[in-house]
Amino acid sequence: GAEGGGPVWRDLAGLWVSAGRSDIERRTASGVPVEIQLDSLAAKLNGAVARTSYSLLAQRSEKTFLGRGVSAERAPETGWDQSGPFDLAKLSSETLLGEGWGLDASVSLTSGVFRLEPRGRDAIVLGADGVWRGGFLSSIRQPSSEQAQLETFGSLRTGAVIHSPRFGVQWRHQQDSLHDFCGERATVTYAPGAALPDLSLLWAEQS
């Protein structure tokens, strides 16, 4: 990874940027290799105007997981390839009102896409040994949120004691959609004698 920054406008604004990648390789308990890749990119602008200081943050992160879910009950071809970015944007400010009092305000937005695609494309089969083979369900999740916050802070002295009260309000809206589906692998086959698991995740669509 790398990061750097500096003043954009002397005494008024500065910019900081960072980027990084982590590559992780490991094996499951059954000896199957899986690969995980973490990517991140962020930029932050800080500045001040009169009695107000502010910062603007923009960030994108993404996790790629090749072979997620592989276990003793799921053959390698049923493992998922996970992908999808997550984005964050946040604007915050602090204004000094005088006499030790001030005002903090912030607004933030998040959005993301979380995909799980099975490595195998064959029909989903549950064997008599309790192991899934052939393929598995696909999944797409799309979380998002909006948040706003306003706080006032100050300093009060009572005798030799100094108090730092804060009062504020917050509004938050969050939504999350989830779709699980089998696609062309809509038929699930069970071998004779196979114990039937909870297949609530194999609904045609869930939201």
Side-chain angles (χ1 to χ4, degrees):
E3 61 180 76
V8 177
W9 193 351
R10 185 177 179 182
D11 299 328
L12 290 178
L15 179 64
W16 169 82
V17 179
S18 69
R21 168 173 290 183
S22 299
D23 292 301
I24 305 169
E25 295 184 4
R26 69 185 189 189
R27 290 182 177 272
T28 65
S30 55
V32 179
V34 296
E35 300 176 21
I36 303 174
Q37 182 174 293
L38 306 174
D39 293 300
S40 63
L41 178 64
K44 187 175 184 180
L45 179 67
N46 296 313
V49 178
R51 300 171 66 88
T52 299
S53 59
Y54 64 87
S55 67
L56 175 62
L57 172 66
Q59 178 177 320
R60 164 166 284 206
S61 58
E62 182 165 2
K63 178 179 181 179
T64 304
F65 193 157
L66 305 182
R68 176 172 181 165
V70 174
S71 65
E73 291 77 30
R74 289 179 55 182
E77 71 272 13
T78 69
W80 289 299
D81 285 346
Q82 173 188 331
S83 64
F86 182 80
D87 297 316
L88 164 68
K90 183 176 182 179
L91 174 64
S92 57
S93 68
E94 179 181 290
T95 302
L96 299 179
L97 303 177
E99 299 298 329
W101 288 87
L103 192 66
D104 282 341
S106 66
V107 177
S108 62
L109 305 172
T110 67
S111 65
V113 178
F114 183 84
R115 301 184 187 90
L116 295 175
E117 286 292 336
R119 315 195 86 174
R121 298 295 179 177
D122 297 329
I124 302 173
V125 177
L126 177 62
D129 55 0
V131 178
W132 292 95
R133 295 183 176 86
F136 214 65
L137 76 158
S138 301
S139 180
I140 298 179
R141 180 185 177 189
Q142 296 176 291
S144 65
S145 69
E146 302 88 37
Q147 179 174 306
Q149 183 172 313
L150 185 64
E151 285 188 335
T152 181
F153 61 90
S155 178
L156 295 174
R157 178 186 293 271
T158 56
V161 180
I162 299 178
H163 306 275
S164 300
R166 299 185 73 96
F167 308 95
V169 294
Q170 183 185 81
W171 172 85
R172 180 178 176 86
H173 175 254
Q174 182 173 340
Q175 58 185 6
D176 198 344
S177 64
L178 174 64
H179 301 276
D180 295 330
F181 51 92
C182 298
E184 297 178 356
R185 305 173 302 285
T187 301
V188 181
T189 303
Y190 303 94
L196 301 184
D198 179 7
L199 290 184
S200 60
L201 291 179
L202 293 177
W203 294 342
E205 178 175 288
Q206 175 185 345
S207 60

